[in-house]
Amino acid sequence: MTGLDPVSANRAFGGVQGVWKHASAATGTDMTFAVYIPPHDQGATLPVVWYLSGLTCTHANVMEKGEYRRACAELGLILVAPDTSPRGEGVADDPDGAYDFGLGAGFYVDATQAPYAPHYRMWTYVTEELPEIIGAHFPVDMGRQSIMGHSMGGHGALSIGLRHPDRFRAVSAFAPIVAPSQVPWGQKALGGYLGPDVAAWRSHDAVALIEDGARLPALLVDQGEADAFLAEQLRPHLLREACDRAGIDLTLRMQPGYDHSYYFISTFMDDHLRWHAARLG
């Protein structure tokens, strides 16, 4: 595959879990992503589910702990998991080394502020560059795409899905940051990457996008009631209120006893993939 370097490949549930690296034009760095290809007939093309990870994560977190391969093999779904930020020499990080900004915390936006603008272009990477690579090199039917994510990645999935409703047939999230303009994680990230003009943040805020007219037919969100970030950072009731006003069919499932971890995500991953598969055809 021209321009792609294989990192690893492992047989799983009759398919192949691969990891790939390439030089990204969007970020100006090397980027790594994971792709699970389920068993399929030669020449067949399959629907693709994009999974966006949360703060501090890479492609590896869901790949190692998400427990999606059995369902993907059964349902005939390709799953793609990109990294969460650019990495490497010369890539700016949070000046204080905090976990919620900089490396591992790209927030799926194209930064406009120094020193982040040259490399932090995760919106372009996830919505343009990586889909072109996946479409060119893997057996995907790009007419059947869906997207999901966790926490910061849930924010990314919701905002990308709301801005590209014709591309994604299904959108779901685990414990998403639904209104980043209104919570500390989002205010720090959007302010740092996009600058102080809060009007510029609205296109990367799911609740604001819905208020401004963006629509999807349906959303599925799972949220743990024991999540330590629920009240301050996640605030799913804001999404429920926005969807109610807009007439969007939101299924918001509050899960007693579950926290923010992959123990939570892996428990409900099968439900989400089946929800996606039903809409992908």
Side-chain angles (χ1 to χ4, degrees):
M1 295 185 184
T2 304
L4 288 182
D5 295 322
V7 176
S8 64
N10 297 93
R11 196 77 171 163
F13 296 99
V16 176
Q17 177 64 68
V19 177
W20 300 84
K21 180 185 289 187
H22 71 108
S24 167
T27 67
T29 67
D30 286 346
M31 295 293 289
T32 303
F33 62 90
V35 181
Y36 178 69
I37 308 292
H40 61 282
D41 294 334
Q42 185 174 0
T45 57
L46 305 173
V48 58
V49 179
W50 297 86
Y51 180 92
L52 304 184
S53 293
L55 290 166
T56 75
C57 292
T58 71
H59 68 282
N61 295 76
V62 69
M63 186 179 77
E64 295 170 358
K65 297 182 286 188
E67 299 184 21
Y68 56 83
R69 281 173 286 267
R70 182 187 297 274
C72 284
E74 176 189 340
L75 299 168
L77 299 174
I78 291 173
L79 190 138
V80 178
D83 202 348
T84 54
S85 79
R87 302 176 192 272
E89 186 176 354
V91 177
D93 196 3
D94 184 277
D96 299 318
Y99 76 93
D100 56 357
F101 189 78
L103 298 181
F107 254 80
Y108 305 101
V109 302
D110 283 351
T112 60
Q113 305 299 299
Y116 306 102
H119 300 297
Y120 284 81
R121 302 186 68 245
M122 291 303 295
W123 180 273
T124 295
Y125 179 71
V126 169
T127 65
E128 297 179 18
E129 184 178 21
L130 190 55
E132 290 180 3
I133 291 169
I134 297 298
H137 295 294
F138 297 90
V140 298
D141 177 353
M142 297 300 281
R144 291 189 291 164
Q145 298 185 66
S146 69
I147 191 166
M148 68 164 88
H150 168 234
S151 193
M152 178 185 72
H155 138 75
L158 292 174
S159 60
I160 290 170
L162 284 162
R163 287 176 59 181
H164 295 279
D166 295 333
R167 182 188 302 185
F168 298 103
R169 296 192 186 183
V171 181
S172 74
F174 303 97
I177 306 169
V178 304
S181 300
Q182 301 184 50
V183 301
W185 275 344
Q187 290 164 346
K188 178 178 180 178
L190 297 181
Y193 293 133
L194 303 180
D197 181 6
V198 295
W201 303 359
R202 295 187 69 83
S203 62
H204 293 285
D205 182 309
V207 168
L209 282 164
I210 293 169
E211 289 173 349
D212 292 345
R215 295 292 182 267
L216 289 170
L219 292 169
L220 171 63
V221 172
D222 273 295
Q223 172 64 61
E225 289 186 350
D227 191 322
F229 305 111
L230 175 58
E232 183 180 25
Q233 305 284 9
L234 306 177
R235 306 183 69 187
H237 68 279
L238 296 176
L239 180 65
R240 179 172 55 213
E241 292 164 2
C243 287
D244 285 348
R245 290 191 295 267
I248 295 173
D249 181 12
L250 169 66
T251 300
L252 173 59
R253 307 192 303 186
M254 301 300 297
Q255 303 292 358
Y258 284 92
D259 59 17
H260 201 68
S261 72
Y262 270 88
Y263 296 108
F264 158 63
I265 297 166
S266 63
T267 299
F268 300 103
M269 179 65 80
D270 187 88
D271 288 357
H272 280 243
L273 290 171
R274 292 184 186 281
W275 192 83
H276 283 253
R279 287 154 179 80
L280 288 165

